[in-house]
Amino acid sequence: EYKRISNSPSKHPINNYENIPMTTTLSLNNVDATTTQEQPMVTIVVVPRERFSYSQQSLESIYAETDYPFELVYVDGGSSPQLKAYLEAQSHEKQFKLIRTEHFLSPNRARNIGIQAANGKYIVFVDNDVLVQKGWLHKLVDCAEETGATVV
């Protein structure tokens, strides 16, 4: 049912999805090494909505506007051949986990799949039609850390 996109096997078995080898990479865009050791690990899980036309812009905004270290899990269900090819290329280039099905997944189903592939202390869900702004993730993590909140 789920298809392997990456050529690199995962180092972490993923519950029911261990037959889906994936790559795990921490993105350190615009972050120095001393900062990352003190900050908690975050997994961003991108899930499909009905508006696939914003998927490319959404992914690009995450990488351009996120100045906090993160791991990315992209759950794609039933996207067009063009978007599928783009996501496959980006997952190899940016080394994120890509999990896809040939059929549409509801956002909640996709989130449940993404959680199983996440390694972070914090999991942040982003729909594939959302454009993020500079500093967005840092604010969420700061709020969680300062308040001890389990949901922000």
Side-chain angles (χ1 to χ4, degrees):
E1 181 176 339
Y2 294 96
K3 188 173 168 184
R4 173 182 156 173
I5 299 300
S6 175
N7 291 328
S8 302
S10 173
K11 295 179 183 175
H12 308 286
I14 302 173
N15 301 335
N16 299 333
Y17 303 99
E18 58 190 31
N19 292 332
I20 312 170
M22 298 175 232
T23 54
T24 303
T25 301
L26 178 64
S27 175
L28 300 176
N29 297 343
N30 304 319
V31 180
D32 66 45
T34 57
T35 305
T36 61
Q37 292 176 359
E38 298 170 10
Q39 294 174 327
M41 170 67 165
V42 176
T43 300
I44 300 171
V45 177
V46 180
V47 300
R49 295 292 291 191
E50 294 81 18
R51 300 184 341 165
F52 286 99
S53 60
Y54 288 93
S55 298
Q56 184 173 345
Q57 289 174 282
S58 177
L59 180 63
E60 290 173 4
S61 79
I62 290 169
Y63 279 96
E65 304 299 336
T66 306
D67 56 0
Y68 195 91
F70 65 93
E71 163 193 60
L72 185 79
V73 175
Y74 200 109
V75 182
D76 176 44
S79 64
S80 69
Q82 296 82 9
L83 181 56
K84 176 184 171 184
Y86 169 78
L87 291 173
E88 288 175 355
Q90 290 300 301
S91 72
H92 290 291
E93 179 182 320
K94 294 182 170 46
Q95 294 295 296
F96 61 80
K97 295 177 188 175
L98 177 58
I99 303 169
R100 75 173 322 277
T101 66
E102 294 301 324
H103 60 278
F104 179 75
L105 294 169
S106 71
N108 285 339
R109 177 73 177 121
R111 287 182 190 103
N112 288 332
I113 292 168
I115 286 172
Q116 293 183 38
N119 296 308
K121 175 181 178 182
Y122 297 108
I123 299 173
V124 177
F125 297 111
V126 175
D127 293 343
N128 69 349
D129 60 356
V130 171
L131 303 178
V132 299
Q133 296 180 357
K134 182 86 51 202
W136 72 281
L137 186 56
H138 217 294
K139 291 175 185 174
L140 289 174
V141 174
D142 286 349
C143 180
E145 289 284 296
E146 290 169 11
T147 64
T150 55
V151 177
V152 177

